[in-house]
Amino acid sequence: MNMETVINQQNIQKLMDIFYAKVRKDPELSKIFLPAVGEDNESWEKHKEKIGRFWRQMLLGEPVFDGQPLKKHLDLPPFPRELFNVWLNLFSESLHQIYENDVAKSILQKATMIAQRFQIAIYDMQIHG
């Protein structure tokens, strides 16, 4: 299988499909995501599209995302900090299914920085929505 060496809109969408299929099946993450996103495929398609726009903005610099991801996480019912590691592990697995190793590592580095910022805001600063 040819691994992607360039990040583009199409492979970001593929990443969303692969990653969120894993999230929906994960016994821990699904407990958080299913109530927040919904049970039906249409809700998940909307979620993947929105988060895909977030990653297009983060990775490609396209000004296509208009949400408040930290606020969305702060508004969730409390969940264990360790689930960020579960999320990152599934994200890493998904990245490595699509991208060449250096590209996957670069994206994962950005995702890890975002996760760290969210954890500081949620658990260390004790800001809640």
Side-chain angles (χ1 to χ4, degrees):
M1 181 165 99
N2 288 342
M3 303 303 278
E4 299 285 350
T5 58
V6 176
I7 302 166
N8 60 39
Q9 182 177 344
Q10 290 75 27
N11 55 44
I12 289 173
Q13 189 58 49
K14 184 176 178 183
L15 173 63
M16 296 297 99
D17 291 340
I18 291 170
F19 173 66
Y20 282 110
K22 292 175 186 287
V23 167
R24 287 179 84 172
K25 292 177 188 171
D26 185 84
E28 296 173 280
L29 291 180
S30 63
K31 292 176 190 172
I32 295 163
F33 276 86
L34 289 174
V37 173
E39 301 273 342
D40 60 291
N41 288 336
E42 183 180 337
S43 296
W44 280 90
E45 289 303 316
K46 287 179 185 175
H47 183 72
K48 290 187 299 185
E49 172 61 30
K50 181 169 190 147
I51 304 305
R53 288 193 309 271
F54 170 81
W55 284 110
R56 284 171 49 202
Q57 185 161 311
M58 293 297 297
L59 301 172
L60 301 174
E62 296 177 1
V64 293
F65 182 75
D66 62 356
Q68 297 178 306
L70 178 57
K71 181 173 179 357
K72 289 284 189 189
H73 287 78
L74 290 169
D75 290 345
L76 290 171
F79 59 90
R81 186 178 200 147
E82 298 76 38
L83 291 184
F84 276 96
N85 288 332
V86 175
W87 186 98
L88 283 168
N89 287 336
L90 290 181
F91 198 68
S92 177
E93 282 178 18
S94 303
L95 288 168
H96 284 91
Q97 286 181 249
I98 299 169
Y99 297 102
E100 180 270 334
N101 193 46
D102 286 344
V103 176
K105 284 172 33 176
S106 173
I107 298 170
L108 184 61
Q109 187 175 31
K110 285 183 169 84
T112 301
M113 287 181 0
I114 294 166
Q116 288 169 342
R117 287 185 194 133
F118 280 21
Q119 288 178 69
I120 289 167
I122 294 169
Y123 301 104
D124 300 334
M125 297 174 70
Q126 303 198 349
I127 304 168
H128 295 285

